Amino acid sequence: MKQTSHDREARDAAFDEQVRSMLSEAAVPAPAASETLFAPVATKAGLWGKLGLAAIGGLFLWGAFELAGDNPSAPSVLTPIPASISASPSAVTGPSGPAMEEGMESSERPDKDGMPDQNAAFEAGGEGGDIAPSTAKPNLAAEPTAVLGSEAISASGSESTTVAAEATEKAALSTSDPVSGAEEGPRADAVSPSPDPAAIKAEPASLPEEPKAPSATQDEQQDANQPTLTLPLTLPSGGGH
Amino acid sequence: MASSQELLGLIEGCKSQRPSSQRALYTRFSGQLFATAIRHTNAREDAEDVLQESFVKIFKHISSYREDFSFEGWMRRIVVNTAITHYRRNLKHSHHHDIDEVHATPGDLENKNDNEFTASELELAISKLPLGYRTVFCMYVIEGYKHQEIADKLGVDVNTSKSQLSRARKYLQNVLATLSSRAKSIPSMGLDQEVDTP
């Protein structure tokens, strides 16, 4: 039996139609769906929401930390001191009370090493017991900067500065009669009111108000000593210039 | 059969990512889509994977469905595309059977008008086709793809698609005609032997 191509195409089309009609609506019992199939996008959205909230919270905390950190960082801009000044024995008003006490305690060892240099400076200036004008002069000249530099000194915690401060303090205490040279007159006033050690210790305690030093106990002591400390801040700067 | 309004409600619920609507949609269409997945895979396990993956895509992209088209057709296309992806992914690991290996019975043309076969017999005969032929046949005959679309999706030439369709159809006509003529007398006539014999 011969078959033309037209007949073949017609037969194929009929077969295709029959297959389509039989199978297009066919169904097979499907397996049960897993619970993870349903609403997966909502789960992802919830995850992203949580991540977003965490990110916002992190940014908020970071911003708060930055704002809190701006206050202590502001004075530090004003305090950079040349190394020569910060290392000079001008730190009569050096670190704050507790910081100075700690520094003195910690500098007991290097104190012995640092003293020869100081003694050498004294010897170069004149007699060891007396403070020659040339020796006292750097102290007074550096005093205004020491008001600002005290923070850097206390913050850096350099032992040499602490030793220098101690040496200068001892020298100032050892001179029973304040230096009353004609040219250092007004500046000596800043030093002269502190012949007794208590006054010296109380005086620098006021200065570290600016730096807001690291320890909490230091802040408490600053607050306690704050009323007595305003004068040294103003006097040296006015007298120095 | 649920009304079209009910179906639209299901679709809207799925667009809102409502799990109850998604469950209802799965319950309603999973059997039909699973049959489609079975036709385009070699094993039931593969069909289950394709079905699950297809429903993930359906729920994910249902917002892009336009109501101008048939929703069932849209879902079936997703299933077919997923099955094709699955097939191509596993192509390296599958043994390729050629339809020339099938021993066709004589007299297929004589039985051309005697297509008295059931849907299950048709499903069984289709399942015995090599996967490449089966995919082309199902895409063209059942899903309504054109040869160019089939060639693009399968990465084959258009003429290859046409030739595979022709040979698959001829094989099925032969087998089903033989079934319809002899099934009552020889019910155990094995499609397995005919198709799988190397």
Side-chain angles (χ1 to χ4, degrees), chain A residues 61-158:
Chain A
L61 288 176
W62 179 76
F65 182 76
E66 284 294 314
L67 285 175
D70 280 346
N71 290 334
S73 64
S76 65
V77 177
L78 301 174
T79 54
I81 308 169
S84 59
I85 297 177
S86 62
S88 68
S90 61
V92 175
T93 57
S96 62
M100 186 169 184
E101 289 172 0
E102 291 175 4
M104 290 175 68
E105 289 173 0
S106 64
S107 64
E108 284 178 2
R109 215 173 3 94
D111 191 12
K112 296 173 182 177
D113 297 334
M115 283 304 288
D117 296 336
Q118 191 67 27
N119 290 335
F122 288 157
E123 287 172 5
E127 296 177 356
D130 296 334
I131 295 180
S134 61
T135 307
K137 192 170 184 178
N139 293 337
L140 298 172
E143 203 170 41
T145 59
V147 173
L148 294 175
S150 60
E151 174 197 351
I153 293 167
S154 64
S156 64
S158 63

